[in-house]
Amino acid sequence: MAFTRKRQREQQLQLYSKERFSLLLLNLEEYYFEQHTAFHVQHQGSPEERKIRGSLKICSKSVIFEPDAISQPILKIPLRDCLKIGKHGENGANKHFAKAKSLGISLIFSQVYFIKEHNIVAPYKIERGKMEYVFQLEVSGKVEDVVETLLQLHRASCLDKLGDQMAMITAILQSRLARTSFDKNRFQSVSEKLHMECKAEMVTPLVTNPGHVCITDTNLYFQPLNGYPKPVVQITLQDVRRIYKRRHGLMPLGLEVFCTEDDLCSDIYLKFYEPQDRDDLYFYIATYLEHHVAEHTAESYMLQWQRGHLSNYQYLLHLNNLADRSCNDLSQYPVFPWVISDYSSPELDLSNPATFRDLSKPVGALNPERLERLLTRYQEMPEPKFMYGSHYSSPGYVLFYLVRIAPEYMLCLQNGRFDNADRMFNSIAETWKNCLDGATDFKELIPEFYDEDASFLINSLKLDLGKRQGGQMVDDVELPAWASSPQDFLQKNKDALESSYVSEHLHEWIDLIFGYKQKGSEAIGAHNVFHPLTYEGGVDLNSIEDPDDKVAMLTQILEFGQTPKQLFVTPHPRRITPKFKSLSQASSYNASMTDSPVSPGEESFEDLTEESKTLAWNNITKLQLHEQYKIHKESISFSNMALSSCLLLPGDTTVISSSWDNNVYFYSIAFGRRQDTLMGHDDAVSKICWHNDRLYSASWDSTVKVWSGVPAEMPGTKRHQFDLLAELEHDVSVNTINLNAVSTLLVSGTKEGLVNIWDLTTATLLHQISCHSGTVCDAAFSPDSRHVLSTGVDGCLNVIDVQTGMLISSMASEEPQRCFVWDGNSVLSGSRTGELLVWDLLGAKVSERIQGHTGAVTCIWMNEQCSSIITGGEDRQVMFWKLQY
């Protein structure tokens, strides 16, 4: 669970510092500057006088005293409530800037908060009325400096305008940062080379901590200005696996660093004061990672998900990460969908579509009656219009779900109070019903609902969360009848997320949250329009000149919630559902032997064939040269111009070859002579294919033609009656074509870098994708016809989704790959240098280089069992390869 792991890390740091204090005791947008060992003097000058030892924390908007004894409450005095701040003299009188030796600091104020008495997390207690507290510093010589600092911060807190307050506090902070620098004695090694140092803030949920960032040739460091919760945070660059630029406070200032592949919880989140500092640090780490870690895009993760290598849960985690969602930023916390709509049945039936929520609609559009009322208001609303007055993800909603494990965060967000007991997260069914019926409740879920840790559903801390109107105390979350325990609830939620229904429809929800239905006319049509300020680019803070307006705008947006960064602008492809069963986290209660037509212990021939193919491709890097022949002394031609492609017809008696002389030739193997000529094009014929007595020819005359071919009655007789069935017109020369397995689709690649996908049953163009700069060398469908792979003279290998026409993956090679075979996950390609390259498309890398020809590899063929390969090259060699495993 993302948030739980985050809390565990913070608690480990708390153990390091041995304090009850945390930054969550500060107000939002408040900084912790310094601390001093001090004594709170009670009943000074009377027989009952006593001194309570502790730590005095100086913060930008408050003074906090943390007693050493946990039985004593932490004291928090807002500076805006201070009536007078001064030194306390030897004779007990207050002497503002007295020259006499000072023994302490006097604060006269009208309000104080009492927090965590006996170390119990509970709503803050407040005492009001004029009172005075005296604090004696252990180092009395610092009293005057501390008083000066407090007076300065008090002046900032008492300014009328929030913008002016923030400006003055920021100036104080920057002055402190400018007077300090990173302590180089904190380097792990004396041989480390410094590359850059700058000012930044470490971001954790609801709070930020200013300090200095330093990067060397081996480590990334952050040194908090206040030394809290530890003197230095250090990350070894060799451990870094992912980095992301982030929006923070709507500005391009964030950078998040991960030392894990799949965890939502990062190792450090930094907010910089200047975008250039952020970009420079990102560039340095990214350059380091280029030699160690492959970069993943939304499209590459999509390919892995489509082909069943990522679960639905994993894919949503990655999309959230790429869309600026972070568990360090509650205004942009990862968002997950409600997938179950049945919370009343005694048993959960995941085979019934009625069990599930309609993933093609936002939460606000699931109830037709409520939607009708919202649309009426929307139509009457002046510009800018929006359908929903609240968002589906916000800090308040996140902590609504997590209050039982993160009560201090809720208290921080709500000024020391929990929410009203009847508005708490009391019941799964109640919460779902309110999301369907509530006038302003449109919230989605968070990743914790699909993870392993059920602690957020249990009041294990025995928090006093209040009493409901019916008299019952708020305790554990009430579960649906079909869940026997919190763990069982999470397991069934996970089963639902990975179910066939959700896998077939999850792309529809992705379209709403991360995709093309997030904005514009498609969003309006999908009833998916939120307040314009919630969208990336919805407001330019730099254009707002009034400081008060800027602070108010930022506060409003951060509290309201933000829409994820848009990742896709075309419809998201569906998942290839038969491929993902092994990834489902389904428990035994949901498994059914009726899913398979094969009896237990038996395997069909088709299963064995697929198994052998999978085994072959899993071992494709073990390809070894078996034989090679140089069977051509010089170029072979049926005409005075080059041949472009050839194929062997079923029956193995006839070879068809296309030529640059505009013709297609039929050659009889038995009689050793040309049998027939088809003069079908006005320019060179670049590629031919054959299936079920149909010939498909591509030409530089900008056409692909489909011919019906009548077989010869006996070998050696002339072929005749080639009827033109269809002509697929292109705007430019066609360089290559290929068919899918059942010849219902054709892909063509042109000299100008276009890849076209055609429906052969209707002879219509489905998609045209401009994805190469220069000629497309080769293009082919995956065995399941879901994807097309293309290679070009630009050295790119591109994967296209057939259903949507979306370019979902692109990799660059050092040289063009002239030809290839592939299984949808891996590619074996022939390069211009003569090497055979094995590509891992899902890992976006070359996994093996095999030396082959001395010139370019021009053609490649694989047998049906995927165990033997034949290649031909410009060196006129024909090489036979076999897998050794």
Side-chain angles (χ1 to χ4, degrees):
M1 181 190 298
F3 203 90
T4 302
R5 286 192 289 269
K6 190 77 191 166
R7 290 290 295 129
Q8 287 170 348
R9 290 185 186 181
E10 290 173 359
Q11 285 163 3
Q12 288 170 358
L13 294 178
Q14 288 288 100
L15 289 174
Y16 182 97
S17 62
K18 297 180 181 178
E19 293 181 332
R20 285 185 291 159
F21 170 80
S22 85
L23 297 178
L24 293 169
L25 300 184
L26 278 59
N27 295 346
L28 297 177
E29 303 296 323
E30 184 175 9
Y31 297 108
Y32 166 36
F33 285 141
E34 60 191 54
Q35 70 89 27
H36 303 274
T37 301
F39 298 88
H40 177 206
V41 183
Q42 295 182 334
H43 310 294
Q44 188 175 32
S46 72
E48 293 82 23
E49 178 179 316
R50 66 170 182 155
K51 297 181 179 180
I52 300 173
R53 191 179 191 275
S55 174
L56 190 68
K57 321 282 187 182
I58 309 302
C59 307
S60 58
K61 298 179 181 179
S62 62
V63 176
I64 295 175
F65 180 73
E66 179 193 16
D68 291 345
I70 64 171
S71 61
Q72 295 289 324
I74 294 173
L75 308 176
K76 178 179 177 181
I77 304 169
L79 287 171
R80 69 173 182 275
D81 294 326
C82 286
L83 306 174
K84 189 173 184 181
I85 298 173
K87 294 183 291 185
H88 196 273
E90 279 185 274
N91 58 4
N94 288 324
K95 295 185 177 179
H96 184 60
F97 294 112
K99 294 183 179 179
K101 180 181 178 183
S102 175
L103 298 177
I105 300 165
S106 168
L107 300 177
I108 299 176
F109 50 87
S110 60
Q111 182 170 266
V112 60
Y113 294 90
F114 300 96
I115 306 169
K116 295 178 78 170
E117 188 172 3
H118 297 287
N119 208 23
I120 296 172
V121 177
Y124 302 170
K125 296 177 181 177
I126 306 174
E127 184 177 331
R128 295 185 174 90
K130 186 175 180 180
M131 60 199 92
E132 179 183 14
Y133 280 1
V134 175
F135 299 97
Q136 290 182 352
L137 301 189
E138 189 172 64
V139 181
S140 59
K142 293 185 177 180
V143 168
E144 190 159 335
D145 289 340
V146 172
V147 169
E148 283 281 5
T149 299
L150 289 174
L151 288 169
Q152 189 181 33
L153 293 170
H154 179 253
R155 284 196 296 273
S157 297
C158 293
L159 292 172
D160 291 336
K161 295 186 176 181
L162 286 174
D164 293 340
Q165 290 181 26
M166 181 171 283
M168 186 171 177
I169 290 171
T170 299
I172 295 169
L173 170 63
Q174 292 301 321
S175 173
R176 284 174 169 259
L177 287 169
R179 295 196 303 269
T180 57
S181 62
F182 185 86
D183 181 3
K184 308 303 187 295
N185 292 321
R186 295 288 182 178
F187 283 176
Q188 294 289 299
S189 167
V190 293
S191 62
E192 283 187 68
K193 296 179 180 177
L194 175 66
H195 284 281
M196 72 171 286
E197 179 184 345
C198 63
K199 299 174 288 185
E201 296 176 12
M202 187 169 73
V203 179
T204 53
L206 299 182
V207 292
T208 61
N209 201 12
H212 296 275
V213 171
C214 184
I215 190 165
T216 69
D217 54 341
T218 55
N219 290 290
L220 171 66
Y221 298 95
F222 176 76
Q223 185 172 32
L225 183 65
N226 50 35
Y228 177 87
K230 57 190 292 189
V232 168
V233 178
Q234 176 257 328
I235 292 173
T236 304
L237 292 181
Q238 194 171 351
D239 294 337
V240 175
R241 290 293 171 267
R242 296 174 291 143
I243 54 170
Y244 298 98
K245 292 181 179 180
R246 298 293 194 211
R247 284 181 299 162
H248 188 273
L250 302 184
M251 301 290 284
L253 299 172
L255 181 71
E256 196 159 20
V257 180
F258 293 78
C259 294
T260 56
E261 288 292 349
D262 298 318
D263 201 341
L264 256 183
C265 183
S266 66
D267 289 79
I268 193 168
Y269 186 138
L270 296 169
K271 170 200 169 186
F272 296 80
Y273 299 109
E274 298 295 336
Q276 190 62 50
D277 287 340
R278 191 276 303 267
D279 293 344
D280 288 347
L281 191 70
Y282 176 90
F283 177 78
Y284 183 81
I285 300 177
T287 304
Y288 182 92
L289 293 184
E290 275 181 12
H291 306 100
H292 300 82
V293 181
E295 182 180 1
H296 289 287
T297 61
E299 290 76 17
S300 67
Y301 285 127
M302 180 201 296
L303 182 62
Q304 294 183 53
W305 172 74
Q306 268 199 293
R307 306 208 68 82
H309 292 260
L310 288 176
S311 67
N312 293 337
Y313 174 79
Q314 290 169 323
Y315 185 45
L316 290 176
L317 286 187
H318 289 306
L319 292 186
N320 272 284
N321 239 326
L322 292 169
D324 274 347
R325 314 303 284 189
S326 167
C327 63
N328 282 300
D329 185 350
L330 296 188
S331 68
Q332 298 188 92
Y333 200 77
V335 56
F336 270 60
W338 288 93
V339 296
I340 297 172
S341 64
D342 179 5
Y343 295 99
S344 58
S345 298
E347 299 292 332
L348 187 66
D349 183 3
L350 295 184
S351 65
N352 182 2
T355 298
F356 298 93
R357 165 257 184 105
D358 185 346
L359 289 165
S360 69
K361 298 177 181 178
V363 169
L366 292 175
N367 181 335
E369 294 178 4
R370 179 178 65 176
L371 178 62
E372 187 176 347
R373 294 193 298 270
L374 292 169
L375 287 175
T376 300
R377 188 189 69 174
Y378 173 77
Q379 289 158 3
E380 296 171 352
M381 187 181 293
E383 295 291 345
K385 294 185 175 186
F386 54 90
M387 293 182 187
Y388 308 114
S390 64
H391 207 257
Y392 51 77
S393 176
S394 70
Y397 288 161
V398 173
L399 295 177
F400 168 85
Y401 291 127
L402 298 178
V403 64
R404 288 167 178 81
I405 58 168
E408 291 178 85
Y409 290 84
M410 177 66 85
L411 294 173
C412 177
L413 184 68
Q414 300 202 151
N415 299 316
R417 299 185 301 272
F418 291 133
D419 205 347
N420 179 281
D422 287 293
R423 291 197 298 267
M424 297 286 277
F425 180 31
N426 293 303
S427 158
I428 303 289
E430 279 184 16
T431 301
W432 169 246
K433 185 178 185 304
N434 202 53
C435 288
L436 287 181
D437 302 336
T440 60
D441 193 348
F442 314 108
K443 58 179 171 287
E444 292 279 9
L445 295 182
I446 54 177
E448 281 75 0
F449 279 81
Y450 303 101
D451 213 322
E452 305 291 336
D453 191 340
S455 61
F456 75 101
L457 299 170
I458 306 166
N459 186 16
S460 57
L461 297 176
K462 302 303 178 187
L463 299 167
D464 182 357
L465 298 172
K467 184 181 291 187
R468 304 189 66 182
Q469 286 185 359
Q472 67 271 40
M473 297 297 295
V474 176
D475 198 24
D476 297 346
V477 176
E478 182 183 337
L479 303 175
W482 47 255
S484 60
S485 67
Q487 288 73 22
D488 185 51
F489 171 76
L490 289 193
Q491 183 60 55
K492 288 176 178 172
N493 242 21
K494 290 187 289 181
D495 295 340
L497 182 64
E498 304 301 336
S499 67
S500 296
Y501 179 90
V502 173
S503 293
E504 290 167 5
H505 294 276
L506 186 58
H507 65 283
E508 298 171 337
W509 187 82
I510 293 171
D511 284 336
L512 295 169
I513 306 301
F514 304 105
Y516 82 112
K517 290 184 178 179
Q518 188 196 88
K519 299 178 182 178
S521 59
E522 293 289 350
I524 295 172
H527 306 133
N528 193 39
V529 182
F530 295 85
H531 195 286
L533 293 180
T534 67
Y535 295 92
E536 183 177 29
V539 61
D540 179 8
L541 286 178
N542 290 326
S543 66
I544 302 175
E545 295 182 0
D546 188 285
D548 272 3
D549 291 345
K550 182 179 290 188
V551 171
M553 181 74 71
L554 182 60
T555 302
Q556 176 186 349
I557 293 168
L558 296 183
E559 291 181 358
F560 189 85
Q562 297 177 67
T563 301
K565 178 190 293 183
Q566 189 174 26
L567 299 179
F568 310 106
V569 293
T570 56
H572 191 286
R574 295 181 62 172
R575 189 165 196 194
I576 305 170
T577 49
K579 294 285 186 181
F580 70 92
K581 279 193 176 182
S582 62
L583 278 173
S584 176
Q585 302 172 34
S587 59
S588 58
Y589 89 94
N590 193 41
S592 172
M593 293 307 297
T594 59
D595 289 346
S596 172
V598 183
S599 300
E602 297 181 8
E603 287 184 290
S604 68
F605 175 75
E606 288 78 8
D607 289 338
L608 292 171
T609 302
E610 285 303 312
E611 262 188 37
S612 66
K613 290 179 181 179
T614 302
L615 182 63
W617 274 101
N618 287 344
N619 290 274
I620 198 71
T621 57
K622 299 174 183 177
L623 198 65
Q624 292 186 1
L625 182 63
H626 186 62
E627 297 177 273
Q628 66 184 89
Y629 302 95
K630 190 167 185 177
I631 57 178
H632 301 299
K633 292 183 179 178
E634 55 186 45
S635 298
I636 297 175
S637 183
F638 297 139
S639 69
N640 59 358
M641 297 187 74
L643 303 179
S644 55
S645 69
C646 66
L647 53 87
L648 182 65
L649 289 187
D652 301 343
T653 60
T654 305
V655 171
I656 310 180
S657 182
S658 57
S659 172
W660 284 5
D661 66 3
N662 310 356
N663 298 326
V664 178
Y665 295 99
F666 296 79
Y667 183 86
S668 171
I669 297 175
F671 289 86
R673 67 172 184 242
R674 188 168 68 196
Q675 184 177 337
D676 200 0
T677 302
L678 175 64
M679 295 178 285
H681 288 278
D682 299 326
D683 205 336
V685 182
S686 52
K687 180 77 179 286
I688 53 173
C689 297
W690 180 275
H691 189 268
N692 284 351
D693 296 330
R694 290 192 176 183
L695 173 68
Y696 303 82
S697 58
S699 171
W700 294 354
D701 66 5
S702 304
T703 66
V704 173
K705 294 183 178 181
V706 184
W707 312 83
S708 68
V710 180
E713 294 178 1
M714 57 178 290
T717 62
K718 276 198 170 187
R719 289 187 175 272
H720 59 280
Q721 197 180 337
F722 274 93
D723 295 329
L724 181 63
L725 299 179
E727 186 171 330
L728 311 179
E729 295 187 358
H730 296 65
D731 295 329
V732 293
S733 299
V734 183
N735 192 60
T736 187
I737 56 170
N738 250 312
L739 303 170
N740 71 336
V742 291
S743 297
T744 55
L745 299 172
L746 179 144
V747 60
S748 59
T750 74
K751 285 193 170 184
E752 293 191 359
L754 296 174
V755 173
N756 305 280
I757 300 174
W758 299 82
D759 181 351
L760 291 177
T761 62
T762 58
T764 55
L765 180 65
L766 298 177
H767 304 291
Q768 185 176 82
I769 307 98
S770 179
C771 55
H772 291 281
S773 55
T775 301
V776 179
C777 297
D778 199 3
F781 289 93
S782 58
D784 58 12
S785 301
R786 300 288 186 137
H787 296 108
V788 163
L789 176 69
S790 64
T791 61
V793 295
D794 56 3
C796 288
L797 285 80
N798 294 326
V799 179
I800 298 161
D801 180 74
V802 172
Q803 179 201 5
T804 62
M806 180 188 289
L807 177 64
I808 60 174
S809 178
S810 184
M811 291 186 296
S813 59
E814 297 170 359
E815 65 280 326
Q817 307 299 304
R818 294 267 295 267
C819 52
F820 65 85
V821 288
W822 75 311
D823 73 335
N825 300 320
S826 302
V827 180
L828 178 67
S829 66
S831 72
R832 192 167 61 185
T833 62
E835 288 182 309
L836 297 182
L837 273 62
V838 179
W839 299 80
D840 175 7
L841 287 179
L842 305 180
K845 63 183 179 181
V846 175
S847 50
E848 192 68 39
R849 292 177 176 269
I850 304 168
Q851 190 54 51
H853 296 266
T854 55
V857 182
T858 56
C859 56
I860 188 168
W861 173 88
M862 175 181 276
N863 70 342
E864 188 176 352
Q865 291 74 33
C866 307
S867 58
S868 299
I869 288 99
I870 302 175
T871 58
E874 288 183 347
D875 57 4
R876 296 176 185 159
Q877 294 272 2
V878 176
M879 294 186 173
F880 294 80
W881 307 79
K882 284 190 176 295
L883 290 175
Q884 303 293 327
Y885 56 90

